[in-house]
Amino acid sequence: MEHARRVAVFGAGYIGLVTGACLAELGHTVAVRDILPERVGLLQAGEVPIYEPGLGDMTLRNKERLRFTLDAEDAVRGAEVAYVCVDTPPTASGDADLSRVWAVVDALKGASHLLALVVKSTVPVGTGRRIRAALDAAGLGHVGYVSNPEFTAEGRAVSDFMNPDRIVIGASDPAAADLIKALHAGVNGPAVVMDVASAEMTKLAANAALATKITLANELATVCEATGADIERVTEAIGMDHRIGPHFLKAGLGYGGSCFPKDSRALHAL
Ligand SMILES: NC(=O)c1ccc[n+]([C@@H]2O[C@H](COP(=O)([O-])OP(=O)(O)OC[C@H]3O[C@@H](n4cnc5c(N)ncnc54)[C@H](O)[C@@H]3O)[C@@H](O)[C@H]2O)c1
C-alpha cells in the first residue's frame, strides 16, 4: 500500500484494540502494547478479550500486520506514529486522571524517529498543549501532536471506526494533520481538521450534547407522568423534527456507561 505506515498503539483495551485492528485492516503495520501480562498473553495466543462485532475476525485476518507486546520499546521500535489509547478514569474532583497518558509520553521520550503522537484517550482541554511542551522540552519538536478523539458506541466500534460520522483531527501543524488524514485512507467518513484544543473540546461537547438529550427525555418523562401525557409518543413526535432528531431521546434510567458520567464531570470541572 502506498501510504502504509508503522504504528505503535498504547493500550489494548476497548479503543486500542479496535484502533489497532482497524489500522492493520487499512494496510498499516501495527504493534499494540499493554501493561497487563494476562491481556497481552491472550492476544498473542490469538484470543480477543473483549467482544465487539467483527473485531475477532479482523484481528485474525490481519495477523501478519498486527502484533501485541508488553514492552514499550519493542512497540515503538521503527514506528512512525504512536497512538495513546490508555484509560483516563475520573479523579475524586471529577477531572480525568492522566497518569497513564503521561506514562506513555515519558516512554516515548527517546523516540526521535516518530513523525506524530496521536492521543485518542479522552482528555481535558489543554492536555495537548502540555504534552506538546513536554515533547518540545525532550527534543521532539519535530514530532507532530494530534488529538484524534473517538466517538464510538460500544457494540458497533469496528463499524464506527470504518464508517464514522466524522474523523476529528486536531493537529499542532499541517504536516501532522495530513499524515493522520492519510493514515485513514480507506475509512468511509469526512475528516474535520482543527486545532488541538478544539478537537479535545469536540469530544467533551459531543458527549455533553448526547447526555443532555437523554436528560431532557427523562425530565420530560417526569412531567408526562404527572400530566397524563405519553412520553413515548411525545419523544417520537419531537424526534421527527429534523432540528431535534430521533436519537438519544429514549426516556429510561438516565445515562450511565463508561463515558457519559466521567466526561460530563470532566467538562464541569473545566
Ligand atoms: N470505551 C469507549 O466507548 C470509549 C469511547 C470513546 C473514548 N474512550 C476513551 O478512550 C480511552 C480508552 O478507553 P478504553 O475503554 O479503551 O479503556 P480500557 O480500560 O478498556 O483500556 C485501556 C487499556 O490501557 C492499558 N494501559 C494503561 N496504562 C498503559 C501504558 N502505560 N501502556 C500501555 N497500555 C496501558 C490498560 O491496561 C488497559 O488495557 C479513555 O480515555 C476513554 O475515555 C472510550
Side-chain angles (χ1 to χ4, degrees):
M1 201 183 87
E2 201 184 331
H3 291 295
R5 295 286 188 185
R6 290 185 302 278
V7 182
V9 175
F10 285 81
Y14 193 79
I15 297 298
L17 282 178
V18 171
T19 300
C22 289
L23 288 175
E25 174 86 358
L26 292 171
H28 307 294
T29 301
V30 183
V32 183
R33 188 257 177 153
D34 205 287
I35 52 173
L36 301 177
E38 207 174 291
R39 176 161 289 225
V40 172
L42 276 176
L43 288 160
Q44 285 171 338
E47 284 176 54
V48 178
I50 59 167
Y51 180 70
E52 266 304 314
L55 183 61
D57 288 347
M58 191 180 262
T59 304
L60 202 64
R61 187 160 67 235
N62 293 290
K63 63 176 191 297
E64 300 296 313
R65 281 192 300 272
L66 181 60
R67 66 190 180 87
F68 303 94
T69 179
L70 276 169
D71 182 350
E73 254 181 60
D74 173 35
V76 169
R77 197 170 301 124
E80 298 162 289
V81 181
Y83 268 81
V84 181
C85 302
V86 298
D87 40 328
T88 51
T91 63
S93 63
D95 216 339
D97 175 356
L98 298 181
S99 55
R100 296 160 189 78
V101 173
W102 283 108
V104 176
V105 175
D106 285 342
L108 296 175
K109 289 229 164 118
S112 56
H113 50 83
L114 280 178
L115 302 176
L117 171 62
V118 184
V119 171
K120 250 187 148 34
S121 297
T122 303
V123 298
V125 184
T127 304
R129 189 168 37 80
R130 285 191 283 278
I131 296 178
R132 173 75 274 162
L135 293 175
D136 292 346
L140 298 177
H142 60 285
V143 179
Y145 180 85
V146 176
S147 163
N148 171 221
E150 186 53 63
F151 299 98
T152 192
E154 292 192 17
R156 36 179 292 184
V158 170
S159 130
D160 278 350
F161 190 101
M162 299 308 264
N163 305 283
D165 290 336
R166 73 302 203 194
I167 307 157
V168 170
I169 299 176
S172 62
D173 63 90
D178 288 346
L179 174 68
I180 301 312
K181 216 171 145 180
L183 204 71
H184 286 83
V187 168
N188 176 32
V192 187
V193 175
M194 57 184 75
D195 62 273
V196 172
S198 300
E200 291 168 341
M201 188 60 197
T202 298
K203 171 63 193 172
L204 298 183
N207 275 356
L210 295 172
T212 300
K213 283 188 89 175
I214 297 171
T215 303
L216 172 68
N218 285 333
E219 292 293 314
L220 291 173
T222 306
V223 182
C224 285
E225 218 167 277
T227 55
D230 180 345
I231 184 63
E232 299 284 332
R233 302 313 308 274
V234 171
T235 48
E236 179 191 352
I238 64 170
M240 290 167 79
D241 185 324
H242 70 277
R243 297 168 304 175
I244 299 171
H247 306 292
F248 282 74
L249 279 179
K250 191 121 191 81
L253 286 176
Y255 62 76
S258 63
C259 287
F260 285 173
K262 87 175 167 60
D263 293 353
S264 308
R265 281 199 292 272
L267 180 58
H268 185 247
L270 280 174

